[in-house]
Amino acid sequence: MNLIGLWAISFIFKPSVNTLWIPLLVTCIAVGIGNLFTDMQIYVGLSGALHGLFGYYALRESLQGRKGSWLLVMGLCLKIVWEFFFGAPTATSGLIEARVAIESHLFGALSGLLLASLICLFNKKQNAQHF
């Protein structure tokens, strides 16, 4: 399931290998550190990092002027809120035969959105210094 998610992100946003490594590394580290503060004993999967990658690329596109990508950012935020209030779909839990780690989705999404925001601010600051 995670490989399908990674394929979908690659298909939608078309990142190059060079632009994929930093957000993937940051979101993996953020999910790993975030999970230390939960009662989760074992986390296996890539779903948290995938939420981070999706958030990163959607917000990056939005901040670069692609207005339709704001819908993707809002959809991600709504999904995270939905999972916290109503839980993950039972069909997903049945498919993976485990509890869906909604905390990891939150940590991943927040780290991806934060990284995109910080990079955008850094780029604006760099561009302002050149003028």
Side-chain angles (χ1 to χ4, degrees), residues 18 21 24 41 55 70 72 81-82 89 105-106 120 123-124:
N18 292 335
W21 288 110
L24 181 60
Q41 298 296 317
W70 284 111
L72 298 175
V81 170
W82 179 273
H105 297 175
L106 173 66
C120 180
N123 287 340
K124 283 186 179 183

Side-chain angles (χ1 to χ4, degrees), residues 1-11 45-47 50:
M1 218 168 140
N2 287 325
L3 288 177
I4 293 170
L6 184 58
W7 178 85
I9 289 169
S10 298
F11 181 77
L46 191 62
S47 61
L50 292 176

Side-chain angles (χ1 to χ4, degrees), residues 62-78:
S62 300
L63 295 173
Q64 291 174 346
R66 189 169 181 177
K67 294 178 182 168
S69 291
W70 284 111
L71 293 173
L72 298 175
V73 174
M74 289 182 355
L76 175 65
C77 293
L78 289 172

Side-chain angles (χ1 to χ4, degrees), residues 30-93:
V31 169
I33 291 171
N35 282 339
L36 292 175
F37 297 99
T38 68
D39 61 351
M40 210 180 325
Q41 298 296 317
I42 296 174
Y43 173 66
V44 178
L46 191 62
S47 61
L50 292 176
H51 280 72
L53 286 176
F54 188 88
Y56 170 78
Y57 288 115
L59 185 58
R60 192 182 77 170
E61 281 188 354
S62 300
L63 295 173
Q64 291 174 346
R66 189 169 181 177
K67 294 178 182 168
S69 291
W70 284 111
L71 293 173
L72 298 175
V73 174
M74 289 182 355
L76 175 65
C77 293
L78 289 172
K79 178 189 183 294
I80 299 296
V81 170
W82 179 273
E83 285 180 341
F84 265 86
F85 283 108
F86 302 107
T90 54
T92 304
S93 295

